[in-house]
Amino acid sequence: MSSQTPVAQPRILAPDCARGFTLLGIATANATTAWLLMAPGTPGFLAGGIVNNSILDKIAIIFGCIFTHVRGLPMFATLLGYGVGMIAMSLQRRKYPPEKARLVLIRRYFFLALFGILHITFLFYGDIMLFYGIMGILLALLSRFSDKTLLITAGVMGGLCLLAALGMAFSIFFIPIEKLHSMADNHTAMVLANPDSYLALIGDTGRALHFQLGTAIPSSIFSIGPIMILGMVAARNNVLGQPEKYKKQLTWAGVIAVVISFGVGLPVALADSGILSERVGLSFFVFNQFAGQFTGPGIIAIIALATIPLQRRIDAAHANGTDYTLPIPLQALVALGKRSMTGYLLQSILFVLLTSIFTFGLGRGQGAWEATLIGVLIWTITLVVAYALEKANLRGPFEVVHRRLSYGRTGLTTFTPTQ
């Protein structure tokens, strides 16, 4: 090897591990709150439902409220912001002028949003890629600003959202209980979650897009936007690439995540289980929809800190010209993290095939325990598929298509004036 040939750096373990775990959280949360959505009035219906006073359903709800509901998606959102920052830094190293770099980012996330529309149309009304594509474009436009400006913007947005969440959570105690029941009865979600045929599923695309564009996405820009901005700033400073340098900040982020997960999630679970009052549960549920977003950076921080010893071994082996072999389960987790788009879309395909009324109907009306197990099963299948692709040295098929559409046939290259 020529001394002029640049040596590739070892891949950073933390982002891939985080994406792999994120997909587990998404699978279990979506199983209980979207794919197998229980009818309003069922005890604990907002977290998967308790059937026949099942102790297993109660355990599943406690686990879900603490560890999965509004946990996986914020992790994904933080990592998307981190990805925008990493690509922007890569384009800077490739000598792209700032305006050209922004155009590359806008093109990439435009196609992500398009993938999201197709996902909504043919598979799942609760898609997140459309929103993430829109936010990716907004982050590309914000990339011209300094870290300080971005952090102030994220802080102001996050602070206002938390104040609004506190106000809404507090107002629960002054609203008649019948009104609360009608507010919790999301008729649109119930219709979209229960198509009686595949034609009905794709026939409700208009309703699903209206549900996303009219309700979910506008509010999410302000509630999830701050952690995406935080992720982009973290990437600029290579936080996950050098976690030992940022150990103090990562530790504080992890502490915040633990406090919110237990302090907010546990009261929701106890109310769903009948231990606390329904009003208390609904109040904390509302607050969790906003405060829960701030668990995303913290859970990723915990994963980054936990992977430090393994990353040291990987770096040491690389410095000696060898490879460090991870345990097989961790290899599979990393493989899934590298193919997160394929893993996410494969989840939807499997949920349609296994849980739909017009297919096998698994988990229908069975409660949070069965729904959670189905979510874990589907995630495990995606884990095995990703591991098989890794061993075959193949990228995820959806990543291949997205990369080709985003960067063209040659991929990202050093910028030249002819580009």
Side-chain angles (χ1 to χ4, degrees):
M1 180 183 296
S2 168
S3 61
Q4 300 301 314
T5 303
V7 178
Q9 295 299 309
R11 191 175 179 94
I12 303 172
L13 194 60
D16 292 329
C17 287
R19 290 189 191 96
F21 277 120
T22 295
L23 288 168
L24 174 60
I26 289 173
T28 54
N30 282 349
T32 54
T33 63
W35 291 102
L36 297 169
L37 185 62
M38 296 292 280
T42 306
F45 80 96
L46 289 172
I50 300 170
V51 177
N52 298 325
N53 204 31
S54 167
I55 186 65
L56 291 177
D57 286 342
K58 292 179 181 180
I59 291 172
I61 283 179
I62 291 172
F63 182 87
C65 288
I66 294 173
F67 295 111
T68 64
H69 299 307
V70 200
R71 305 291 182 262
L73 290 179
M75 289 174 67
F76 233 173
T78 307
L79 289 166
L80 182 130
Y82 200 90
V84 173
M86 287 183 68
I87 297 169
M89 297 300 288
S90 174
L91 292 169
Q92 185 178 11
R93 290 193 298 270
R94 296 170 189 271
K95 311 300 183 183
Y96 275 70
E99 65 278 7
K100 296 291 185 182
R102 284 192 289 272
L103 288 175
V104 170
L105 289 168
I106 289 170
R107 175 171 172 162
R108 176 183 174 86
Y109 292 101
F110 165 79
F111 282 113
L112 182 63
L114 182 60
F115 269 61
I117 292 174
L118 294 174
H119 186 212
I120 292 171
T121 301
F122 295 107
L123 289 171
F124 182 37
Y125 71 94
D127 161 81
I128 57 171
M129 293 193 298
L130 173 57
F131 167 65
Y132 286 177
I134 292 171
M135 277 305 304
I137 293 171
L138 293 177
L139 290 176
L141 297 175
L142 290 173
S143 64
R144 69 184 68 190
F145 296 109
S146 68
D147 288 355
K148 182 178 179 180
T149 300
L150 291 173
L151 290 174
I152 291 173
T153 302
V156 171
M157 291 173 63
L160 291 175
C161 280
L162 284 176
L163 287 175
L166 283 170
M168 288 187 285
F170 188 67
S171 70
I172 295 293
F173 293 96
F174 301 95
I175 299 174
I177 198 69
E178 297 79 12
K179 180 79 175 293
L180 290 175
H181 287 162
S182 65
M183 291 167 63
D185 185 0
N186 193 331
H187 177 71
T188 298
M190 284 300 298
V191 170
L192 292 171
N194 295 284
D196 56 11
S197 69
Y198 184 68
L199 288 178
L201 187 155
I202 62 176
D204 265 333
T205 295
R207 189 198 297 256
L209 280 171
H210 184 267
F211 177 76
Q212 287 269 354
L213 296 171
T215 304
I217 290 177
S219 62
S220 295
I221 289 175
F222 293 96
S223 62
I224 305 180
I227 60 174
M228 289 185 160
I229 294 173
L230 188 63
M232 184 168 71
V233 173
R236 286 178 168 184
N237 294 276
N238 194 26
V239 171
L240 296 182
Q242 41 188 356
E244 295 185 74
K245 177 180 177 181
Y246 293 98
K247 186 175 287 187
K248 181 179 178 180
Q249 292 89 336
L250 292 171
T251 300
W252 273 110
V255 169
I256 291 170
V258 170
V259 169
I260 294 174
S261 294
F262 283 88
V264 180
L266 189 56
V268 177
L270 294 177
D272 285 339
S273 301
I275 298 173
L276 296 179
S277 72
E278 185 178 9
R279 281 187 184 276
V280 170
L282 287 173
S283 178
F284 275 93
F285 175 84
V286 169
F287 187 61
N288 187 53
Q289 301 307 303
F290 293 88
Q293 307 296 340
F294 295 96
T295 62
I299 298 172
I300 295 169
I302 292 170
I303 293 171
L305 292 171
T307 57
I308 285 176
L310 279 174
Q311 190 68 53
R312 286 176 183 161
R313 295 174 194 172
I314 292 170
D315 294 344
H318 179 79
N320 292 326
T322 60
D323 291 323
Y324 177 78
T325 302
L326 295 170
I328 290 178
L330 201 52
Q331 289 183 42
L333 186 68
V334 169
L336 181 58
K338 290 162 67 175
R339 298 162 180 82
S340 56
M341 180 186 288
T342 293
Y344 176 67
L345 292 172
L346 184 56
Q347 280 188 19
S348 295
I349 294 169
L350 291 169
F351 271 117
V352 169
L353 291 175
L354 296 178
T355 69
S356 296
I357 295 171
F358 53 88
T359 56
F360 293 101
L362 295 182
R364 290 279 162 183
Q366 298 302 305
W369 174 253
E370 285 81 356
T372 301
L373 287 181
I374 290 169
V376 173
L377 170 65
I378 285 174
W379 176 79
T380 303
I381 294 172
T382 65
L383 197 69
V384 172
V385 170
Y387 181 68
L389 290 172
E390 180 74 16
K391 288 302 175 183
N393 200 29
L394 296 173
R395 290 178 176 171
F398 292 105
E399 281 82 4
V400 170
V401 174
H402 185 222
R403 183 178 179 84
R404 177 66 180 271
L405 291 171
S406 301
Y407 303 142
R409 188 181 307 172
T410 58
L412 288 179
T413 58
T414 301
F415 183 80
T416 59
T418 55
Q419 290 175 277

